[in-house]
Amino acid sequence: MPDQNHQYSIIRVALPVPLRRLFDYIGEPGRDYPIGSRVKVPFGHRELTGVVLEQSRDTKQSIAKLKAAGAALDQDSLVPEEIRQLLDFCSSYYQCPIGEAYSTALPKLLRQGEALSLPQNEYLQLSQEGLGLPPGGLSKARKQAALLSALQEEGRLDKTDLKRLCISNAVVKAMLDKGLINWHSEQLPTIVASEHQKQAPLPLNEEQEAALEQLRYQQFSCYLLEGTTGSGKTEVYLQAIAEVLREGRQALVLIPEIGLTPQTLGRFQNRFKCPIVAIHSGLNDKERLQAWGMAKTGQAGIVIGTRSAIFTPLYRPGIIIIDEEHDLSFKQQDGVRYSGRDLAIFRAKKANIPIILGTATPSLETLHNAIQGRYEHLRLTRRAGAAKPPAIIVEDIKQKTLIGGLSQNSLDAIANTLAAGNQVLVFLNRRGFAPSLICHNCGWVAECRHCSARMTLHKAQHQMRCHHCEASMAQPQQCPDCFSRELISQGYGTQRSEETLQEHFPDTQIIRIDRDSTRKKQAMHELLHEVDQGQPCILLGTQMLAKGHHFPNVTLVVIVDADGGLFSGDFRGPERMGQLITQVAGRAGRAEKPGKVIIQSHNKDHPLLETLLHKGYHLFARQILRERQLAYMPPYRHLALLHCDARDGMQAESFLQNMRQWLEQYAPPSPERIYLGPFAAPMEKRKQMYRYQLQFNCESRRHMQQILSLVGQYLDQSKIPSHIRCSLDVDPLDMM
């Protein structure tokens, strides 16, 4: 490079574009651009916000072609080194553009260039007039009385507390207008070493005590906390977090679904008096930015969030906890396809802090690591307190008459449970009214025009919907092929079961919980609040009900169809079936009341089902591990999928075939690395695109990364036609 180049300051910036490199810009003379700070830069005809990752005097580009960067948006590093290391690893391991990784990690307002402003903590307190009210005052206004009682008991309530207590803005306004309460605000301090508990911890049994005693807080170690449902894993989390808070450090807790957030948040807020923030997609942009800022500056002692919260910076990290670690929700299925659980383990190792993976049904990858001694295995084999495991009954429903998917025995058991004043959970892993609509005359089936899938009937809306691309159409009144009006619904969905249950139990509240009933903000919270009232009711739902919810009054669980995973085309099908049945069954009898589980099956004597129900999930999982080893599948091998989508399936297949031939020149097939495909995806067509896959199966991560690096080179060098979309999925959990 010519000497004159040395008068320039070159900054290398990560930009949110699908290109696998950094971009060089000329910095303003005399201006400092801290590593990890944001900067506005011109990019084509646009102006983008990027993150500065390097600063140098040299560049491989022609100085004449470089554009000048704008001013730095941050005086100091916004993205700390710990998170930069995490994102560098994410980019290299999952073979995604570094700029897209940073874009995934930052809250939307920061990506748009807004400044990080620390929030004021706003809270309600009783006014002088309100302090004069006696306990039980405002009895004629029930909701206002509830707010008064909460303030008299706790002294102050912030907005998170109001959400937890289901106190609406209208109730707050009514009491403000009466002069009974006032809003106050304060700047939150950074958390310091002290006792942060406001409730005494619960007594532990011997297994819980043994698990806590094995935790080492001053070094990295990965712990698998395998505890049967209701065994008190959460209490172990809480007491471990209390230890970390005493040292003035922070805890990061990842949960699989935002539907769990209110319940989890409420339990943590009842126990701890330090600020606790939630980070998930249900927040608005300002709320998410404020929570991110409180975590980064140390104002929040505990951060609770879904998978994307793994990128949240912490001022003094002390422990990471992954609850329900087996759950598929921890794997991002589009964009940057990362695993929140696996990134959490990498982050904990870099920060030299412990990480706990908690579940009743470990993923086979996690269990294998525990068996191999890579993770420390802590087991809780009995339920906490006086709760006993539920009695499990498997009912053979072959040739039996089913009413809305339910046998007469199941309906009788539901009636007896409700009559005893208890609650029932009916689990059916299909939403909608029925899986398909079929012509009784000619056999025509309503199929999605955009996907290789049948459409689902949603009777209340008189619509057919595709649950893969969300396409919809009006419910047909006659067959388009033979014009017959004899169209019948085939199969059972949650809406159809709801209709059946309402007919049989007209005086009982049916609470349906699925993707359709919980679309609105706070809908899940409100439905669970109804359940918590304890009145006899029937919960009817899908997988959303299997994820760690605590229903103390549910004494009967009915699993409508246990056979789904036994004959799945996905090699993970049996594992997921075992996890789902175990988790759903675990919702019964979690308090003092004994529980019962009825499992309806057409394959009562299937060996896997018998092992699961008679020997437990742990031995069931070990049996599947032996089968995986013989089949050269994870966790004994490593998988990656290259997806290629196009409107013309032959073009997608041809593109992948050419890539395979190119890859085999540089990395020939061998027992250590196996190529499979290209072949059509199990769902060949989705959203009008034909989908093909090329699978890589490798003995070690080193061999896999060699292939994936070549894949990245090929994608960068190839001029991929605009009508072809490619995406890479490392360690895929969904083979669809």
Side-chain angles (χ1 to χ4, degrees):
M1 297 294 296
D3 288 342
Q4 68 222 36
N5 286 358
H6 291 276
Q7 63 183 300
Y8 295 98
S9 172
I10 306 298
I11 59 173
R12 297 192 174 94
V13 183
L15 293 175
V17 295
L19 298 173
R20 302 164 190 268
R21 64 185 183 89
L22 301 178
F23 296 87
D24 288 5
Y25 287 88
I26 301 174
E28 292 183 0
R31 181 177 291 277
D32 185 36
Y33 293 85
I35 303 301
S37 65
R38 294 168 302 152
V39 62
K40 287 278 191 184
V41 296
F43 189 85
H45 299 294
R46 299 176 289 165
E47 185 178 60
L48 299 179
T49 301
V51 178
V52 178
L53 296 187
E54 295 178 22
Q55 194 163 4
S56 174
R57 285 288 181 184
D58 298 314
T59 177
K60 295 180 180 179
Q61 310 297 323
S62 167
I63 287 290
K65 293 183 178 179
L66 293 185
K67 297 180 180 180
L73 298 176
D74 309 297
Q75 293 182 349
D76 301 304
S77 176
L78 180 76
V79 184
E81 182 179 3
E82 176 207 8
I83 300 300
R84 297 200 301 272
Q85 290 179 346
L86 181 67
L87 292 171
D88 287 345
F89 171 76
C90 178
S91 174
S92 62
Y93 184 79
Y94 295 104
Q95 293 293 320
C96 66
I98 184 68
E100 291 190 345
Y102 272 83
S103 182
T104 298
L106 291 176
K108 182 178 179 180
L109 293 180
L110 291 181
R111 299 199 303 266
Q112 293 175 346
E114 291 202 17
L116 176 62
S117 58
L118 296 180
Q120 294 284 318
N121 182 41
E122 296 183 336
Y123 59 92
L124 284 174
Q125 280 188 321
L126 291 171
S127 66
Q128 206 62 34
E129 186 176 347
L131 288 169
L133 291 173
L138 302 176
S139 58
K140 293 183 179 180
R142 182 172 57 86
K143 293 183 179 180
Q144 293 180 37
L147 176 53
L148 173 65
S149 177
L151 284 169
Q152 288 173 334
E153 183 177 335
E154 300 188 31
R156 57 194 280 178
L157 298 172
D158 61 22
K159 292 181 178 179
T160 305
D161 295 323
L162 296 175
K163 281 185 180 179
R164 171 172 55 90
L165 297 169
C166 292
I167 295 172
S168 67
N169 292 334
V171 174
V172 173
K173 184 177 184 304
M175 290 188 67
L176 285 169
D177 292 343
K178 292 178 181 178
L180 299 176
I181 56 176
N182 292 317
W183 280 111
H184 300 270
S185 63
E186 65 181 4
Q187 181 75 46
L188 288 171
T190 298
I191 189 171
V192 295
S194 66
E195 178 60 61
H196 288 277
Q197 296 192 87
K198 61 183 180 184
Q199 265 186 4
L202 299 177
L204 302 177
N205 61 35
E206 291 179 0
E207 290 181 333
Q208 289 172 308
E209 285 183 352
L212 270 174
E213 286 173 1
Q214 290 186 60
L215 298 180
R216 296 181 296 278
Y217 298 97
Q218 306 301 327
Q219 65 184 67
F220 166 73
S221 194
C222 185
Y223 300 93
L224 167 59
L225 180 62
E226 182 185 357
T228 185
T229 52
S231 60
K233 294 185 293 294
T234 303
E235 186 60 29
V236 174
Y237 302 158
L238 292 170
Q239 296 199 26
I241 290 171
E243 188 65 32
V244 167
L245 294 175
R246 288 189 195 102
E247 300 171 358
R249 298 194 291 163
Q250 297 164 284
L252 174 60
V253 181
L254 296 190
I255 56 178
E257 291 274 358
I258 62 173
L260 289 174
T261 307
Q263 198 173 46
T264 306
L265 202 57
R267 189 162 183 182
F268 277 62
Q269 287 169 337
N270 289 335
R271 176 68 65 89
F272 299 109
K273 58 188 176 185
C274 69
I276 302 171
V277 297
I279 294 181
H280 55 76
S281 59
L283 302 178
N284 63 42
D285 294 340
K286 185 177 180 182
E287 289 171 335
R288 188 158 186 147
L289 178 60
Q290 289 188 341
W292 193 90
M294 290 176 67
K296 181 180 186 295
T297 57
Q299 292 180 340
I302 302 172
V303 179
I304 299 173
T306 49
R307 62 175 175 263
S308 63
I310 190 55
F311 300 114
T312 305
L314 299 176
Y315 184 71
R316 287 195 67 201
I319 193 170
I320 299 176
I321 295 170
I322 313 291
D323 191 30
E324 309 293 352
E325 67 81 25
H326 67 278
D327 200 277
L328 297 181
S329 299
F330 287 119
K331 181 70 189 287
Q332 176 74 22
Q333 298 294 351
D334 53 25
V336 181
R337 299 186 178 216
Y338 65 91
S339 164
R341 179 198 63 200
D342 295 349
L343 289 184
I345 296 170
F346 175 87
R347 182 175 180 181
K349 186 173 184 179
K350 285 293 182 180
N352 201 30
I353 60 174
I355 179 170
I356 300 175
L357 309 179
T359 178
T361 53
S363 65
L364 295 194
E365 286 81 1
T366 296
L367 183 60
H368 178 66
N369 280 325
I371 293 170
Q372 296 296 311
R374 299 187 189 99
Y375 300 167
E376 295 197 39
H377 198 172
L378 314 176
R379 296 194 67 189
L380 307 178
T381 60
R382 63 177 188 266
R383 288 191 162 188
K388 302 296 181 184
I392 297 179
I393 300 168
V394 184
E395 183 181 4
D396 188 349
I397 57 174
K398 288 196 298 288
Q399 300 180 354
K400 286 190 177 180
T401 300
L402 300 179
I403 306 166
L406 295 164
S407 70
Q408 188 59 52
N409 287 341
S410 295
L411 289 170
D412 292 343
I414 292 172
N416 294 334
T417 302
L418 295 172
N422 297 319
Q423 297 175 337
V424 178
L425 189 157
V426 176
F427 176 80
L428 177 62
N429 204 23
R430 300 188 187 106
R431 73 187 216 261
F433 182 78
S436 58
L437 194 67
I438 188 169
C439 175
H440 190 58
N441 187 49
C442 74
W444 169 86
V445 177
E447 295 184 340
C448 178
R449 290 174 295 174
H450 313 299
C451 305
S452 302
R454 294 180 175 184
M455 301 193 83
T456 299
L457 171 62
H458 288 249
K459 189 174 182 181
Q461 294 79 25
H462 303 290
Q463 277 190 334
M464 304 295 297
R465 290 185 195 161
C466 175
H467 289 173
H468 300 281
C469 72
E470 295 298 325
S472 63
M473 58 181 274
Q475 179 182 346
Q477 300 303 309
Q478 62 182 22
C479 173
D481 286 354
C482 71
F483 307 109
S484 168
R485 301 185 72 85
E486 290 189 73
L487 299 180
I488 59 175
S489 53
Q490 188 179 58
Y492 306 98
T494 49
Q495 290 180 15
R496 186 171 191 176
S497 293
E498 179 183 26
E499 189 176 275
T500 300
L501 290 167
Q502 200 68 75
E503 289 174 0
H504 278 75
F505 307 103
D507 299 324
T508 299
Q509 183 181 15
I510 313 293
I511 301 176
R512 178 166 58 88
I513 297 181
D514 57 21
R515 294 292 178 200
D516 299 312
S517 66
T518 58
R519 288 182 186 275
K520 294 181 180 178
K521 191 173 183 179
Q522 295 295 314
M524 183 73 166
H525 183 36
E526 291 168 3
L527 290 171
L528 294 180
H529 184 68
E530 286 289 321
V531 179
D532 291 340
Q533 302 308 301
Q535 298 301 313
C537 66
I538 300 175
L539 284 87
L540 172 65
T542 57
Q543 291 186 46
M544 298 175 73
L545 286 175
K547 301 189 178 186
H549 295 289
H550 179 62
F551 302 124
N553 294 300
V554 168
T555 60
L556 173 66
V557 168
V558 178
I559 299 176
V560 174
D561 180 11
D563 304 328
L566 293 174
F567 307 104
S568 170
D570 188 340
F571 74 92
R572 297 185 190 274
E575 175 189 2
R576 290 176 186 162
M577 176 209 70
Q579 290 167 343
L580 203 55
I581 290 177
T582 304
Q583 292 284 344
V584 175
R587 301 310 114 198
R590 292 171 67 91
E592 287 76 16
K593 301 175 182 179
K596 182 168 76 171
V597 180
I598 297 176
I599 300 176
Q600 298 185 168
S601 172
H602 289 90
N603 300 274
K604 179 181 178 180
D605 299 324
H606 193 285
L608 277 178
L609 194 57
E610 285 195 326
T611 300
L612 176 68
L613 298 178
H614 298 304
K615 297 182 179 179
Y617 178 82
H618 192 79
L619 292 178
F620 165 85
R622 283 178 174 265
Q623 180 177 330
I624 299 179
L625 277 173
R626 288 193 292 272
E627 295 174 0
R628 294 270 189 93
Q629 187 173 19
L630 293 173
Y632 293 94
M633 298 302 282
Y636 299 94
R637 303 278 291 194
H638 303 277
L639 290 186
L641 281 179
L642 182 65
H643 301 269
C644 187
D645 301 350
R647 292 191 180 275
D648 184 337
M650 293 183 63
Q651 290 181 337
E653 184 178 21
S654 175
F655 181 86
L656 291 179
Q657 187 63 53
N658 292 337
M659 173 182 280
R660 174 173 176 168
Q661 292 172 359
W662 184 87
L663 290 172
E664 288 179 342
Q665 295 177 28
Y666 298 94
S670 68
E672 291 78 24
R673 51 178 174 261
I674 300 171
Y675 300 90
L676 291 173
F679 46 76
M683 178 175 286
E684 184 176 359
K685 187 180 179 185
R686 184 175 182 180
K687 297 183 179 180
Q688 296 186 319
M689 302 286 278
Y690 288 91
R691 308 164 68 241
Y692 278 74
Q693 299 174 347
L694 181 59
Q695 185 184 116
F696 312 109
N697 181 314
C698 293
E699 183 181 54
S700 68
R701 294 194 188 279
R702 180 174 62 84
H703 286 110
M704 179 62 77
Q705 286 300 311
Q706 288 174 349
I707 289 180
L708 297 182
S709 179
L710 289 169
V711 170
Q713 289 180 34
Y714 186 88
L715 293 175
D716 288 343
Q717 295 168 7
S718 301
K719 293 184 178 179
I720 304 176
S722 59
H723 56 273
I724 290 181
R725 294 200 310 251
C726 289
S727 61
L728 188 60
D729 193 357
V730 182
D731 301 334
L733 296 184
D734 185 354
M735 307 299 288
M736 296 298 287

